[in-house]
Amino acid sequence: MKNIVVLVSGGGTNLQALIDAEKRGEIKSGKITCVISSKNGAYAIERAKTAGIPSRIVVRKDYSSADSYTDALLDVLKEEKADLIVLAGFMIILGEKLIKAYENRIVNVHPSLIPAFCGEGFYGLRVHKYALARGVKVSGATVHFVNEIADGGPIIMQMPVAVLDDDTPETLQKRIMEQAEWKILPKVTELFCADKIKVENGKAYILE
Ligand code: GAR
């Protein structure tokens, strides 16, 4: 059984999808052992509490530098004996030291089909605003390993979602969450915990 630590900053619907998948037995090779929030008062913390999962809050502005914040997160992850770190709406770019320490053991869900609408400055609703402004007919979600390039790590799984003519950023966000994010994030989490993902030459592959 692998220890899954989920990092959140907001509403935590992706965390909820993970909790529900574990309850249904779809995540069976790992267990969500801790939720870490970068924000006080994040609703994701309530979701963890309701599910009986220990949670911790590590707020960026409590630390004087990005490096000391990274060190604090690293300490918590070590204490929690994290095998897999899942970024589920975590809105802070992780420090290089942490990324190196957990190479190919951190996954992130991003609300577009990478390499579209990704990188620094593309997060949350902003991603969908850009997609609508560009007039794309298809968007979707991506789960990828985290490396030192923002949204640039090996892609593990993607799911396309149709964009409708009358979409607003909010309606598109909701459809992408429901039809893509909440499905592929739990799937990848189980595949990782079952040792069914390998990375070779910077690309990720799912093993049969
Ligand atoms: C999700 O749409 C997630 O893909 C996105 O933030 C939202 C968090 O929602 N993440 C990013 O944009 C990361 N670059 P949630 O807190 O309800 O899971």
Side-chain angles (χ1 to χ4, degrees):
M1 273 302 233
K2 290 199 165 59
N3 292 334
I4 305 164
V5 175
V6 185
L7 271 56
V8 297
S9 302
T13 65
N14 279 289
L15 167 67
Q16 191 65 54
L18 291 166
I19 293 169
D20 294 345
E22 189 183 323
K23 273 199 193 126
R24 289 194 301 268
E26 290 164 19
I27 295 175
K28 52 179 185 293
S29 309
K31 186 177 158 54
I32 306 168
T33 48
C34 179
V35 171
I36 302 174
S37 173
S38 68
K39 275 197 189 137
N40 281 306
Y43 188 64
I45 293 295
E46 298 307 314
R47 296 180 190 271
K49 281 190 183 142
T50 304
I53 301 165
S55 55
R56 310 184 51 158
I57 300 171
V58 190
V59 178
R60 172 64 183 88
K61 62 177 183 325
D62 291 347
Y63 297 86
S64 58
S65 67
D67 284 349
S68 56
Y69 184 68
T70 295
D71 287 341
L73 277 179
L74 262 172
D75 285 347
V76 173
L77 291 164
K78 276 181 201 152
E79 267 172 45
E80 296 294 336
K81 298 187 170 54
D83 296 308
L84 169 65
I85 301 164
V86 179
L87 308 186
F90 190 67
M91 294 305 175
I92 293 175
I93 293 183
L94 294 177
E96 218 171 296
K97 191 171 166 190
L98 198 161
I99 292 169
K100 283 221 173 83
Y102 288 90
E103 198 187 7
N104 295 332
R105 291 195 289 153
I106 310 170
V107 298
N108 177 48
V109 62
H110 182 77
S112 74
L113 295 174
I114 290 175
F117 313 116
C118 67
E120 262 187 81
F122 288 91
Y123 55 86
L125 266 184
R126 291 169 61 95
V127 176
H128 307 296
K129 279 186 190 149
Y130 281 105
L132 290 179
R134 185 62 185 84
V136 293
K137 306 304 177 200
V138 177
S139 190
T142 302
V143 177
H144 63 92
F145 281 117
V146 172
N147 68 9
E148 56 292 338
I149 303 158
D151 296 323
I155 291 170
I156 306 166
M157 198 176 278
Q158 295 187 297
M159 177 93 80
V161 174
V163 178
L164 306 181
D165 289 345
D166 59 355
D167 263 332
T168 62
E170 289 78 10
T171 60
L172 182 58
Q173 178 182 57
K174 183 167 181 278
R175 188 174 326 103
I176 289 176
M177 283 177 157
E178 287 171 356
Q179 295 184 8
E181 296 185 44
W182 302 343
K183 292 184 177 165
I184 63 176
L185 186 62
K187 245 186 217 160
V188 167
T189 299
E190 171 56 22
L191 286 166
F192 179 93
C193 292
D195 292 320
K196 285 188 175 158
I197 305 174
K198 71 164 183 183
V199 179
E200 223 171 67
N201 300 326
K203 290 187 197 169
Y205 301 91
I206 293 166
L207 308 169
E208 286 313 311

